[in-house]
Amino acid sequence: MPVQPMFPLQSALLPGELLPLRIFEPRYSQLVRDCLAMADPAFGVVLITRGREVGGGDTRSDVGVLAHITEHVDQGEGRYELRALVGERIRVAEWLPDDPYPRAVIEAWPDEPGPPVTTERIGDVIDRILALLERIVGARGAQLRPDALAVEPEIADDPCRHIYALASRIPMGQADRHAVLAAPTLTERVDVLIDAIETVTALVEFQLSSDE
């Protein structure tokens, strides 16, 4: 299993998302330089479950993603502007000593076998998200764009990518986002996502009723 540079963050990322980063901490400046020397400049990203991004001493999740650097600007003095595309899901088999930045032995973690997710099930998820977003936008006196949940045809044809894309549109907390990522099968991911939608919906309704 490969050893991968790792960048723990206080955000749970989902495959298909874009990740902009400003790098200034010396250890992560070295990480960027090392990544850019690779044929595929990529680093692992996991959620910090306790602690902070700067300074070390954090507690990290063992489930994350690979982020592939697509653009970078060297601003000098160890500062970089990065843009990365979040790719495949990974599991950490072993954390290695930070030297100077976090590193881990990782393995790819594709969805495990499970019951198929039907188009009707995905349609139910879409209807729930639309109802939530319409409630939020309507409370602001605006209207939801007709293409609010539109995705490219190649994503719509791939249930795994489609569910991740839908999940990324929901204003849920980091713990819920991580639970979506960490679901072993696609079917379980849909169940977790629906639970998250219901939680956010209940919170929105409570906030709106309190404002009345």
Side-chain angles (χ1 to χ4, degrees), residues 22-23 73-81:
R22 291 184 177 181
I23 306 298
V73 177
D74 185 346
Q75 298 181 321
E77 299 181 350
R79 296 177 179 271
Y80 291 89
E81 294 272 357

Side-chain angles (χ1 to χ4, degrees), residues 9 28 38 47 56 63 65 67 77-78 86 88 90-91 95 98 113 121 124 138 155 158-160 176 204:
L9 293 173
Y28 288 122
M38 301 175 181
L47 176 67
V63 177
V65 292
E77 299 181 350
V86 179
E88 57 270 44
I90 60 171
R91 279 192 292 204
W95 284 101
D98 292 11
R121 185 70 164 154
D124 178 48
I155 294 178
D158 183 333
C160 179
D176 283 335
V204 167

